[in-house]
Amino acid sequence: MKSNNKKRQRKKIVYTLQIVWIVSAIIATIILLVAGNRLLGIDKAGEAMNQGMVSANESEETVPKEEAENPVQDQNKENEKPNAEEQKEEDGTVQENDGEKSEGGTPSKGESATDQTEEGADSKEGAEEPVVTPQEGQTEGTPAAEDDKTSDQELAADLKAQEVIAKNNIDVSKPMVALTFDDGPYPKVTNRILQVLSDNGGRATFFVMGNRMDSYGDTVEKAYEQGNQIGNHTYSHKDLTKITIKELQYEVGYACELIQEHAAEEQVVLRPPYGSRNDTVSENLTVPMIAWSLDTEDWKSRDAKSVINNVLGTVKDGDIILMHDLYESTAEAVEYLVPELIKRGYQLVTIDELFAAKGHALEAGKVYYNGR
């Protein structure tokens, strides 16, 4: 019996030891796993920290030294914007007698030209718009893009003006006037005017009528070849404010076509008969309108001395002078005026030359009285 009890006790002890060993082994395994995971996490964290430090160092190396030292470099340059040049507004709205004549030299109308009060008459010419730097997020079609387009057009106009000035040796620092002649051509008078202009190195603008092109087209060609400008005085001298839009387009458009058959003008400027125009005329024209600031009233006096006195008594820089190449008295006056004006220091220029020299761009539908 005792022997059996001892065997049982030994077995219990063995079982107990086995259980203790198994439990200890499990606990040790758990401890090892936990310790291993912790070590692994520390290693990964260390590696991540090391990688982060390397990336930070690389980022610092990619920043240019100059920018790091001066992050607001060229800020003043970005903020620079040219100011618009403000041009002084000129009135020029004088109650004048245009006194345009019908073909053959007989006045067809004696009434005064309408007072120049239409919108746009007293506009600021030649002012340059400020260049606007596009802001972040602006794309084509935004106001900045439109300003860029306007700037390109102004640049092209400036280049064209400089070309005109250089081609004709115009000194922009000296006074100048534009002699203009309406209702022609009439060779008996026009050729005398062309001769005195040629002899003295002067130029003028001839506002011709379309219905005289068939008979006197060669006179227009001669005037243009001498460097004079050919303008449009309509086809048959109708008051543009008293006709339909269709008639208006015919009077101006057809006359322009006939003129360009004899003179390669890029833009044929218009002088409306009698100086008459209104909003309807302005809105339906694709060319600038040229009025005047000094009326010689040569059609009225038919006297050379009167014409000469009217000019020399009031002429000033930038004037547009109105005459008619229909009367021999006008030719006689011009033969005296051209050398005398040059003697007094005036340059005799065309309409295009006058406005180019004064820095004004001519716009379609607007009326201009002088180059000041």
Side-chain angles (χ1 to χ4, degrees), residues 189 192-193 303-305 308 327-337:
V189 174
R192 286 179 64 180
I193 295 171
D303 180 72
K305 289 183 179 180
I308 292 168
Y327 314 112
E328 293 192 57
S329 56
T330 298
E332 182 182 349
V334 171
E335 288 168 345
Y336 178 84
L337 283 171

PDB file of all heavy atoms in Angstrom, residues 189 192-193 303-305 308 327-337:
ATOM      1  N   VAL A 189      -6.456 124.540-111.096  1.00  0.00           N
ATOM      2  CA  VAL A 189      -6.080 125.077-109.785  1.00  0.00           C
ATOM      3  C   VAL A 189      -5.193 124.088-109.016  1.00  0.00           C
ATOM      4  O   VAL A 189      -4.170 124.470-108.438  1.00  0.00           O
ATOM      5  CB  VAL A 189      -7.339 125.416-108.957  1.00  0.00           C
ATOM      6  CG1 VAL A 189      -6.968 125.831-107.537  1.00  0.00           C
ATOM      7  CG2 VAL A 189      -8.141 126.512-109.642  1.00  0.00           C
ATOM      8  N   ARG A 192      -1.451 124.031-109.885  1.00  0.00           N
ATOM      9  CA  ARG A 192      -0.694 125.178-109.372  1.00  0.00           C
ATOM     10  C   ARG A 192      -0.321 124.956-107.902  1.00  0.00           C
ATOM     11  O   ARG A 192       0.803 125.255-107.473  1.00  0.00           O
ATOM     12  CB  ARG A 192      -1.518 126.461-109.512  1.00  0.00           C
ATOM     13  CG  ARG A 192      -1.630 126.988-110.930  1.00  0.00           C
ATOM     14  CD  ARG A 192      -2.490 128.243-110.994  1.00  0.00           C
ATOM     15  NE  ARG A 192      -1.893 129.366-110.240  1.00  0.00           N
ATOM     16  CZ  ARG A 192      -2.465 130.567-110.140  1.00  0.00           C
ATOM     17  NH1 ARG A 192      -3.645 130.803-110.750  1.00  0.00           N
ATOM     18  NH2 ARG A 192      -1.879 131.526-109.457  1.00  0.00           N
ATOM     19  N   ILE A 193      -1.262 124.408-107.138  1.00  0.00           N
ATOM     20  CA  ILE A 193      -1.000 124.129-105.721  1.00  0.00           C
ATOM     21  C   ILE A 193       0.064 123.041-105.576  1.00  0.00           C
ATOM     22  O   ILE A 193       0.991 123.155-104.749  1.00  0.00           O
ATOM     23  CB  ILE A 193      -2.307 123.720-105.006  1.00  0.00           C
ATOM     24  CG1 ILE A 193      -3.281 124.898-105.004  1.00  0.00           C
ATOM     25  CG2 ILE A 193      -2.025 123.232-103.593  1.00  0.00           C
ATOM     26  CD1 ILE A 193      -4.670 124.553-104.518  1.00  0.00           C
ATOM     27  N   ASP A 303     -10.879 135.982-102.888  1.00  0.00           N
ATOM     28  CA  ASP A 303      -9.853 137.023-102.891  1.00  0.00           C
ATOM     29  C   ASP A 303      -8.596 136.493-102.207  1.00  0.00           C
ATOM     30  O   ASP A 303      -8.639 136.075-101.041  1.00  0.00           O
ATOM     31  CB  ASP A 303     -10.365 138.256-102.155  1.00  0.00           C
ATOM     32  CG  ASP A 303      -9.335 139.374-102.116  1.00  0.00           C
ATOM     33  OD1 ASP A 303      -9.082 139.994-103.162  1.00  0.00           O
ATOM     34  OD2 ASP A 303      -8.770 139.581-101.022  1.00  0.00           O
ATOM     35  N   ALA A 304      -7.469 136.502-102.911  1.00  0.00           N
ATOM     36  CA  ALA A 304      -6.227 135.931-102.394  1.00  0.00           C
ATOM     37  C   ALA A 304      -5.762 136.634-101.120  1.00  0.00           C
ATOM     38  O   ALA A 304      -5.338 135.986-100.155  1.00  0.00           O
ATOM     39  CB  ALA A 304      -5.134 135.982-103.460  1.00  0.00           C
ATOM     40  N   LYS A 305      -5.835 137.973-101.097  1.00  0.00           N
ATOM     41  CA  LYS A 305      -5.358 138.713 -99.935  1.00  0.00           C
ATOM     42  C   LYS A 305      -6.171 138.376 -98.691  1.00  0.00           C
ATOM     43  O   LYS A 305      -5.638 138.262 -97.584  1.00  0.00           O
ATOM     44  CB  LYS A 305      -5.409 140.215-100.205  1.00  0.00           C
ATOM     45  CG  LYS A 305      -4.364 140.699-101.197  1.00  0.00           C
ATOM     46  CD  LYS A 305      -4.418 142.199-101.364  1.00  0.00           C
ATOM     47  CE  LYS A 305      -3.350 142.688-102.349  1.00  0.00           C
ATOM     48  NZ  LYS A 305      -3.394 144.175-102.523  1.00  0.00           N
ATOM     49  N   ILE A 308      -5.019 135.000 -97.437  1.00  0.00           N
ATOM     50  CA  ILE A 308      -3.705 135.119 -96.796  1.00  0.00           C
ATOM     51  C   ILE A 308      -3.838 135.721 -95.402  1.00  0.00           C
ATOM     52  O   ILE A 308      -3.242 135.222 -94.427  1.00  0.00           O
ATOM     53  CB  ILE A 308      -2.761 135.974 -97.673  1.00  0.00           C
ATOM     54  CG1 ILE A 308      -2.439 135.225 -98.962  1.00  0.00           C
ATOM     55  CG2 ILE A 308      -1.486 136.336 -96.916  1.00  0.00           C
ATOM     56  CD1 ILE A 308      -1.754 136.079-100.021  1.00  0.00           C
ATOM     57  N   TYR A 327     -10.684 127.457-107.033  1.00  0.00           N
ATOM     58  CA  TYR A 327     -10.619 128.867-107.404  1.00  0.00           C
ATOM     59  C   TYR A 327      -9.180 129.300-107.634  1.00  0.00           C
ATOM     60  O   TYR A 327      -8.279 128.979-106.852  1.00  0.00           O
ATOM     61  CB  TYR A 327     -11.247 129.729-106.304  1.00  0.00           C
ATOM     62  CG  TYR A 327     -12.556 129.176-105.819  1.00  0.00           C
ATOM     63  CD1 TYR A 327     -12.682 128.667-104.531  1.00  0.00           C
ATOM     64  CD2 TYR A 327     -13.647 129.133-106.670  1.00  0.00           C
ATOM     65  CE1 TYR A 327     -13.880 128.138-104.093  1.00  0.00           C
ATOM     66  CE2 TYR A 327     -14.856 128.605-106.247  1.00  0.00           C
ATOM     67  CZ  TYR A 327     -14.970 128.097-104.954  1.00  0.00           C
ATOM     68  OH  TYR A 327     -16.162 127.563-104.543  1.00  0.00           O
ATOM     69  N   GLU A 328      -8.973 130.061-108.687  1.00  0.00           N
ATOM     70  CA  GLU A 328      -7.630 130.557-108.983  1.00  0.00           C
ATOM     71  C   GLU A 328      -7.148 131.508-107.895  1.00  0.00           C
ATOM     72  O   GLU A 328      -5.946 131.613-107.626  1.00  0.00           O
ATOM     73  CB  GLU A 328      -7.619 131.245-110.354  1.00  0.00           C
ATOM     74  CG  GLU A 328      -7.854 130.279-111.510  1.00  0.00           C
ATOM     75  CD  GLU A 328      -7.567 130.899-112.864  1.00  0.00           C
ATOM     76  OE1 GLU A 328      -6.428 131.376-113.060  1.00  0.00           O
ATOM     77  OE2 GLU A 328      -8.475 130.922-113.705  1.00  0.00           O
ATOM     78  N   SER A 329      -8.070 132.206-107.238  1.00  0.00           N
ATOM     79  CA  SER A 329      -7.686 133.074-106.124  1.00  0.00           C
ATOM     80  C   SER A 329      -7.085 132.260-104.972  1.00  0.00           C
ATOM     81  O   SER A 329      -6.166 132.719-104.280  1.00  0.00           O
ATOM     82  CB  SER A 329      -8.891 133.866-105.624  1.00  0.00           C
ATOM     83  OG  SER A 329      -9.955 133.007-105.270  1.00  0.00           O
ATOM     84  N   THR A 330      -7.586 131.025-104.800  1.00  0.00           N
ATOM     85  CA  THR A 330      -7.018 130.149-103.765  1.00  0.00           C
ATOM     86  C   THR A 330      -5.609 129.724-104.147  1.00  0.00           C
ATOM     87  O   THR A 330      -4.693 129.718-103.317  1.00  0.00           O
ATOM     88  CB  THR A 330      -7.909 128.910-103.559  1.00  0.00           C
ATOM     89  OG1 THR A 330      -9.196 129.332-103.107  1.00  0.00           O
ATOM     90  CG2 THR A 330      -7.301 127.959-102.547  1.00  0.00           C
ATOM     91  N   ALA A 331      -5.413 129.366-105.428  1.00  0.00           N
ATOM     92  CA  ALA A 331      -4.073 128.993-105.891  1.00  0.00           C
ATOM     93  C   ALA A 331      -3.095 130.152-105.703  1.00  0.00           C
ATOM     94  O   ALA A 331      -1.947 129.964-105.272  1.00  0.00           O
ATOM     95  CB  ALA A 331      -4.119 128.568-107.357  1.00  0.00           C
ATOM     96  N   GLU A 332      -3.552 131.359-106.005  1.00  0.00           N
ATOM     97  CA  GLU A 332      -2.700 132.539-105.837  1.00  0.00           C
ATOM     98  C   GLU A 332      -2.314 132.735-104.372  1.00  0.00           C
ATOM     99  O   GLU A 332      -1.156 133.044-104.045  1.00  0.00           O
ATOM    100  CB  GLU A 332      -3.440 133.781-106.356  1.00  0.00           C
ATOM    101  CG  GLU A 332      -2.627 135.054-106.277  1.00  0.00           C
ATOM    102  CD  GLU A 332      -3.409 136.280-106.754  1.00  0.00           C
ATOM    103  OE1 GLU A 332      -4.501 136.093-107.335  1.00  0.00           O
ATOM    104  OE2 GLU A 332      -2.935 137.419-106.519  1.00  0.00           O
ATOM    105  N   ALA A 333      -3.289 132.541-103.472  1.00  0.00           N
ATOM    106  CA  ALA A 333      -3.015 132.683-102.041  1.00  0.00           C
ATOM    107  C   ALA A 333      -2.024 131.628-101.561  1.00  0.00           C
ATOM    108  O   ALA A 333      -1.101 131.925-100.789  1.00  0.00           O
ATOM    109  CB  ALA A 333      -4.325 132.576-101.259  1.00  0.00           C
ATOM    110  N   VAL A 334      -2.190 130.405-102.035  1.00  0.00           N
ATOM    111  CA  VAL A 334      -1.302 129.310-101.627  1.00  0.00           C
ATOM    112  C   VAL A 334       0.119 129.558-102.106  1.00  0.00           C
ATOM    113  O   VAL A 334       1.097 129.237-101.409  1.00  0.00           O
ATOM    114  CB  VAL A 334      -1.841 127.959-102.150  1.00  0.00           C
ATOM    115  CG1 VAL A 334      -0.821 126.834-101.939  1.00  0.00           C
ATOM    116  CG2 VAL A 334      -3.156 127.613-101.457  1.00  0.00           C
ATOM    117  N   GLU A 335       0.264 130.140-103.291  1.00  0.00           N
ATOM    118  CA  GLU A 335       1.605 130.430-103.820  1.00  0.00           C
ATOM    119  C   GLU A 335       2.362 131.421-102.932  1.00  0.00           C
ATOM    120  O   GLU A 335       3.595 131.419-102.899  1.00  0.00           O
ATOM    121  CB  GLU A 335       1.482 130.959-105.248  1.00  0.00           C
ATOM    122  CG  GLU A 335       1.100 129.871-106.237  1.00  0.00           C
ATOM    123  CD  GLU A 335       0.693 130.392-107.602  1.00  0.00           C
ATOM    124  OE1 GLU A 335       0.421 131.615-107.723  1.00  0.00           O
ATOM    125  OE2 GLU A 335       0.614 129.584-108.563  1.00  0.00           O
ATOM    126  N   TYR A 336       1.639 132.222-102.185  1.00  0.00           N
ATOM    127  CA  TYR A 336       2.289 133.117-101.221  1.00  0.00           C
ATOM    128  C   TYR A 336       2.411 132.444 -99.852  1.00  0.00           C
ATOM    129  O   TYR A 336       3.441 132.557 -99.176  1.00  0.00           O
ATOM    130  CB  TYR A 336       1.487 134.416-101.073  1.00  0.00           C
ATOM    131  CG  TYR A 336       2.083 135.365-100.052  1.00  0.00           C
ATOM    132  CD1 TYR A 336       3.106 136.232-100.408  1.00  0.00           C
ATOM    133  CD2 TYR A 336       1.637 135.364 -98.726  1.00  0.00           C
ATOM    134  CE1 TYR A 336       3.668 137.092 -99.471  1.00  0.00           C
ATOM    135  CE2 TYR A 336       2.194 136.215 -97.782  1.00  0.00           C
ATOM    136  CZ  TYR A 336       3.215 137.076 -98.168  1.00  0.00           C
ATOM    137  OH  TYR A 336       3.778 137.908 -97.236  1.00  0.00           O
ATOM    138  N   LEU A 337       1.356 131.742 -99.421  1.00  0.00           N
ATOM    139  CA  LEU A 337       1.305 131.178 -98.076  1.00  0.00           C
ATOM    140  C   LEU A 337       2.344 130.078 -97.834  1.00  0.00           C
ATOM    141  O   LEU A 337       2.948 130.023 -96.758  1.00  0.00           O
ATOM    142  CB  LEU A 337      -0.093 130.614 -97.795  1.00  0.00           C
ATOM    143  CG  LEU A 337      -1.186 131.622 -97.465  1.00  0.00           C
ATOM    144  CD1 LEU A 337      -2.542 130.939 -97.439  1.00  0.00           C
ATOM    145  CD2 LEU A 337      -0.892 132.302 -96.119  1.00  0.00           C
TER     146      LEU A 337
END
